[in-house]
Amino acid sequence: VRLVMKAHSFIRENVPRVLSSVKDKSGTVHIPKISQYLYFLFAPTLIYRDNYPRNPMIRWGYVATKFAQVLGSLFYAYYIFVRLCIPQFRNSSQETFNLRGLVLCIFNSILPGVLILFLVFFAFLHCWLNAFAEMLRFADRMFYK
C-alpha cells in the first residue's frame, strides 16, 4: 500500500510538469532522476518533491538507538506471544469445539492483540522510519506541524 501511494504521488507531481512542457513545445522536459526517485522511495514521506531539506550530518548514535528499540519491540512481541497467546491456543486446540471456548479464546486474545498492535505502530512508524530518516539525512521532521 505504501509503495502504491508513493507511486501515485510521484506520477501526480511529475505528469502535469511533463505534459505542460510538451504542450508548450519547450525544448527541455524536466524528468526526475533515478536518484531522486530512489531517495523518495526510502524517505519517510508520501509527498514527492525533487529536493527535500537535508541535515548536514548523520547521528549514528540516534540510528543505533532506534534500531535497538525495534529489536526490543520484537523481543517484547515474542514475549507476549509466548506468555499470553501460545498457552491460550494450545489449550483451546485440545478441547472440543464449543461456543463458550471460542468466546473465551477471543476475549483472552484482545489484550495481547492490542499490545502487538501498539508495538507494530511504535516499531515501524516511530523507530524504523525515524532511523531511515536519520540515515537519509531527511530534515523535514516537523512537516505535519
Side-chain angles (χ1 to χ4, degrees):
V1 171
R2 182 175 173 256
L3 290 176
V4 169
M5 292 170 74
K6 283 188 175 257
H8 173 73
S9 176
F10 181 77
I11 290 169
R12 185 177 170 106
E13 291 293 323
N14 288 308
V15 167
R17 245 191 300 180
V18 171
L19 290 178
S20 68
S21 65
V22 169
K23 188 171 148 182
D24 295 339
K25 296 188 181 359
S26 61
T28 61
V29 178
H30 179 71
I31 298 174
K33 299 175 189 169
I34 297 294
S35 62
Q36 291 172 330
Y37 182 67
L38 286 175
Y39 182 85
F40 170 64
L41 283 181
F42 289 102
T45 184
L46 293 175
I47 300 169
Y48 177 79
R49 299 286 180 254
D50 288 334
N51 295 314
Y52 294 98
R54 307 280 301 266
N55 286 332
M57 57 180 272
I58 299 172
R59 299 176 294 170
W60 290 107
Y62 182 79
V63 173
T65 302
K66 292 300 171 192
F67 281 133
Q69 288 175 350
V70 170
L71 192 62
S73 296
L74 290 174
F75 281 124
Y76 189 50
Y78 172 76
Y79 178 78
I80 289 171
F81 274 115
V82 167
R83 292 291 183 184
L84 298 174
C85 294
I86 293 174
Q88 176 65 33
F89 290 109
R90 184 176 293 140
N91 293 338
S92 68
S93 67
Q94 295 171 352
E95 299 173 3
T96 59
F97 178 77
N98 58 14
L99 185 60
R100 181 182 178 273
L102 177 67
V103 170
L104 283 175
C105 190
I106 289 172
F107 279 117
N108 287 335
S109 300
I110 289 174
L111 179 64
V114 169
L115 289 173
I116 296 295
L117 183 67
F118 285 150
L119 280 173
V120 167
F121 277 116
F122 174 74
F124 180 71
L125 293 177
H126 178 70
C127 299
W128 189 264
L129 291 179
N130 273 329
F132 270 94
E134 186 66 34
M135 286 190 297
L136 293 172
R137 298 184 304 144
F138 188 77
D140 200 4
R141 305 259 171 93
M142 297 297 185
F143 178 77
Y144 294 107
K145 283 193 174 184

